[in-house]
Amino acid sequence: MRHLNNLFRFPFLRIPSSGLHTLLIVALTGPQLGALEEKVYDLDPMTVTTTQAEEDPFSYPDIEPVSLQIATSEITATDILRQNVTTLTQALEHAPGAWTASRGRKIKSFTSFRGQSYPFPDYAIDGMWFREFYELPYFFPASEIDRVEIIRSSAALSKGLSSLSGVINIVPHMPRTRQTQARVEYGSLNHQKLYLSHAEPLQNGMLKISLGHYSFDGEHEMNAAERVTTASARFSWSPHDSLQVDSFLFYLDGARELEKALPPASKGLRSRVEEFDPMQSLLGGVRIRSNNELGTTQLSLWGSDRKAFYNNRTTGATHDDDDSEHGIQLIQSMQPFSGNILRVGALYHRWNAPDGKRFYAGRRSDIETYSIVVIDEHEFDQLNIELGYRWSREYLNEFGGYSIEGSSRGFQNVASIVDEWAAPQHRFNLGGKYSLNSETSLYASYSYGQVSSPKGALLEQGGHPDDETRHMLDFGIQYTTDGFGRIKAGLFTVDRRDGIHITSDTYINSIGVEVPYYENRDSRQRGLELEWRSPWYQGWMNFFASALVMESDYKTPDASRSTDREIPEQILTAGIYMHWKGIDVSVFGSHISSYENDRFSSTGPHPLGDYLDVNLTAGYTFESKARIFLSMKNLLDDKYSTVVGYYDDGFTVTGGLQLTF
């Protein structure tokens, strides 16, 4: 622990208007935004209950500041059921402002919001931060999710160690009463899904266990098959009013082929035959919340162990992409004086990859992260003001390829960094909410902070990219009535100094893996976000719509500004739920405007996006609580692409049966 000695050393909006007409898309579901009360949705005899986190930060010290409601969305268990999605990634695709880039590589897909990337949003489970979760969202079963909280702002501080691109927090599902559920599904491209779960009340608690299996062949010649078997357990226990214990355990075992690309992708990606077989992950966590004389104390402990064997059947190259992580977070709320709530927290996290992984395969990684957070909120009648600060710093026990100087051709000869501190990172937040009346509230949030460049990243001219500094501002209005529902309108701006961007130029590292170069450039984004969710009209129909319209540009070497064509300008969704006498019909869709990218391309930038994806799900629930359903994806059969060389499967159909008793 000798490195602890140096631990605390601190060295006007123009919005494009084209594309708004697409907001009239008829679509299924979007997440319910900013809901803070319990919602119960009846699918005739089938009932799904979801509850968002409580609003009181004194009793629930890990909730985010109230000012972030304007930049927060929620996907509920009902949304997941209506969309008939299989994985977390699919559940995120129709969230407001969501942009999913699917590419079939070692990380199959990335989901971001407001066009932000590198870093992409962090992931947390029940508020517990996982540093390496990017290989799991496209496998994590949607059936295990009670809700997903999406915070698009960098002002998120209490959900683990959220990045400046926000955080995606997964809350595992836990029924409140005894319930058994069985589900079987089959569809296009040999899509198969089996799921079985049971929830049992215990004395002062609840236990849920589940098993699932999913497989998909894809188009055979594309080497896109995947299969996964999962098992999970969730336990909740409250021996008395002042103590609550929640825990989860999740296990995954499977395999995945890395999809081959199509032209205009580079020749190597079109011919390479690769796979991860087997892939195994074990995740677990415990959260203990205790009310005491001082306030509320919350202790979270979590960890994971992941194993993945990479096999390149074209070249014969193999590698163990194994890694593990564990963390502990303690956060305390208190009330120093009337109207004021102070929260103080500390986090320790360690990530270890004995043989490296992905780009840095063959180079051991062992990184410790330390963090302290302070959040102070004060209520002045109708006005809430919030101040927040997070300090974090990494200690590199060992990291191969970090801070490389000179030519990348000497990569294999560069010594690993051993026993060194990385630069400390600081994040500052200022925000507030003003309630005009019971129906209308105003929000504002400002965030400043730093983003470390990827460990081992190289500039094409040699050396390591500089760290990025971000300024982010959100402000908006929320209006809620019984007859109209809830609508949010918000403006945001993101200013990235020395923004970290990935380029299309690559080099081959010491073990034959193609690795991209990075670059620093100043960039900014400005945008308008609209979200609306109606109430249930006549008890059988409700609507959802959202729009993100933004402009993005960057500074060129001659100090002029150029439009960033790699980021779409509009992301629109809309939808409708209907259920009547056992029949339910949901139509949902999204539109992402055109953009371009030369990532994975051998011939420069290519147009991407510019598609309309419309899906439909219909079902009938019998009095026995059995539900039959049919789901059709991409009704327009548009084989669009979000990444050069990788295309959507087009129109697919699945059907199945679900029993709940």
Side-chain angles (χ1 to χ4, degrees), residues 32 39 41 480-487 532-544 576-577:
Q32 179 134 358
K39 294 290 182 180
Y41 303 105
T480 306
T481 64
D482 292 338
F484 188 74
R486 177 181 288 110
I487 186 169
W532 172 58
R533 183 66 174 257
S534 78
W536 282 92
Y537 292 117
Q538 303 300 316
W540 67 276
M541 176 187 300
N542 81 336
F543 302 91
F544 165 82
I576 183 172
Y577 281 160

Side-chain angles (χ1 to χ4, degrees), residues 116-148:
Q116 297 181 75
S117 60
Y118 298 102
F120 288 93
D122 279 350
Y123 284 88
I125 301 179
D126 255 0
M128 305 174 204
W129 174 64
F130 284 86
R131 182 191 190 105
E132 284 290 323
F133 197 83
Y134 295 110
E135 291 96 345
L136 287 178
Y138 43 84
F139 278 139
F140 196 92
S143 303
E144 294 304 314
I145 299 172
D146 180 76
R147 64 185 183 275
V148 183

Side-chain angles (χ1 to χ4, degrees), residues 39-143:
K39 294 290 182 180
V40 179
Y41 303 105
D42 291 300
L43 281 67
D44 291 310
M46 183 182 300
T47 301
V48 179
T49 303
T50 66
T51 308
Q52 190 175 356
E54 301 295 332
E55 191 175 8
D56 176 18
F58 182 78
S59 302
Y60 300 86
D62 65 335
I63 71 169
E64 296 296 342
V66 68
S67 63
L68 295 186
Q69 289 182 16
I70 200 64
T72 300
S73 302
E74 183 183 78
I75 301 169
T76 68
T78 301
D79 297 321
I80 290 170
L81 177 67
R82 291 293 195 175
Q83 292 182 40
N84 189 41
V85 294
T86 300
T87 67
L88 171 60
T89 294
Q90 293 170 350
L92 292 171
E93 287 179 352
H94 293 91
W99 178 27
T100 298
S102 298
R103 63 209 197 132
R105 303 309 305 145
K106 289 192 173 183
I107 294 180
K108 182 180 175 182
S109 63
F110 281 112
T111 299
S112 65
F113 300 87
R114 300 176 173 177
Q116 297 181 75
S117 60
Y118 298 102
F120 288 93
D122 279 350
Y123 284 88
I125 301 179
D126 255 0
M128 305 174 204
W129 174 64
F130 284 86
R131 182 191 190 105
E132 284 290 323
F133 197 83
Y134 295 110
E135 291 96 345
L136 287 178
Y138 43 84
F139 278 139
F140 196 92
S143 303

Side-chain angles (χ1 to χ4, degrees), residues 240-260:
H240 48 79
D241 293 341
S242 61
L243 181 64
Q244 177 69 39
V245 180
D246 293 287
S247 63
F248 69 89
L249 188 66
F250 174 79
Y251 177 74
L252 175 150
D253 181 87
R256 178 172 77 86
E257 296 175 335
L258 275 61
E259 182 178 354
K260 291 191 292 185

Side-chain angles (χ1 to χ4, degrees), residues 277-542:
D277 186 5
M279 294 180 64
Q280 297 172 331
S281 293
L282 178 65
L283 312 173
V286 178
R287 182 183 63 202
I288 304 170
R289 183 185 297 120
S290 172
N291 300 323
N292 48 63
E293 294 181 358
L294 183 62
T296 302
T297 303
Q298 181 171 296
L299 175 67
S300 300
L301 303 99
W302 68 95
S304 70
D305 185 72
R306 295 174 290 259
K307 300 183 184 301
F309 182 75
Y310 168 75
N311 179 28
N312 187 324
R313 300 205 302 266
T314 302
T315 65
T318 62
H319 184 263
D320 287 322
D321 268 25
D322 299 347
D323 72 318
S324 62
E325 61 182 300
H326 60 270
I328 179 171
Q329 182 180 36
L330 178 67
I331 186 166
Q332 174 74 48
S333 69
M334 59 195 81
Q335 191 168 13
F337 48 88
S338 178
N340 185 271
I341 297 176
L342 176 65
R343 291 180 279 166
V344 180
L347 176 145
Y348 169 80
H349 181 276
R350 187 166 187 172
W351 173 62
N352 182 34
D355 300 306
K357 63 184 299 184
R358 293 197 297 271
F359 292 150
Y360 313 115
R363 311 281 289 185
R364 179 175 178 263
S365 298
D366 185 354
I367 300 175
E368 296 178 62
T369 302
Y370 300 83
S371 176
I372 296 174
V373 63
V374 179
I375 305 172
D376 187 71
E377 304 182 24
H378 194 88
E379 182 178 354
F380 302 91
D381 295 327
Q382 297 168 274
L383 176 65
N384 286 69
I385 296 293
E386 306 150 349
L387 292 170
Y389 168 71
R390 178 184 287 281
W391 171 90
S392 60
R393 199 172 188 188
E394 292 182 343
Y395 185 77
L396 309 178
N397 292 290
E398 182 173 346
F399 196 96
Y402 180 59
S403 195
I404 298 172
E405 301 293 340
S407 170
S408 64
R409 299 184 188 280
F411 181 85
Q412 62 270 31
N413 299 318
V414 176
S416 298
I417 293 222
V418 178
D419 294 336
E420 288 192 18
W421 282 104
Q425 304 292 301
H426 309 279
R427 303 179 189 181
F428 300 89
N429 294 342
L430 171 63
K433 171 187 176 182
Y434 183 76
S435 300
L436 295 174
N437 50 51
S438 60
E439 298 177 342
T440 308
S441 298
L442 303 177
Y443 300 84
S445 177
Y446 167 75
S447 178
Y448 160 83
Q450 300 150 325
V451 180
S452 297
S453 57
K455 306 299 184 295
L458 287 174
L459 298 170
E460 189 168 4
Q461 63 271 29
H464 188 69
D466 294 330
D467 289 347
E468 174 181 331
T469 299
R470 287 192 186 185
H471 300 266
M472 180 178 290
L473 177 65
D474 284 272
F475 56 96
I477 185 171
Q478 177 175 283
Y479 176 73
T480 306
T481 64
D482 292 338
F484 188 74
R486 177 181 288 110
I487 186 169
K488 293 182 180 181
L491 297 173
F492 70 89
T493 178
V494 181
D495 184 16
R496 304 173 60 185
R497 308 289 175 86
D498 291 319
I500 301 165
H501 297 266
I502 197 167
T503 75
S504 61
D505 297 319
T506 61
Y507 66 94
I508 305 299
N509 73 6
S510 59
I511 63 168
V513 176
E514 189 173 21
V515 181
Y517 285 110
Y518 288 76
E519 65 177 352
N520 287 121
R521 68 185 186 198
D522 293 347
S523 60
R524 66 186 179 188
Q525 290 174 271
R526 301 173 181 178
L528 166 68
E529 293 177 317
L530 298 172
E531 305 178 36
W532 172 58
R533 183 66 174 257
S534 78
W536 282 92
Y537 292 117
Q538 303 300 316
W540 67 276
M541 176 187 300
N542 81 336

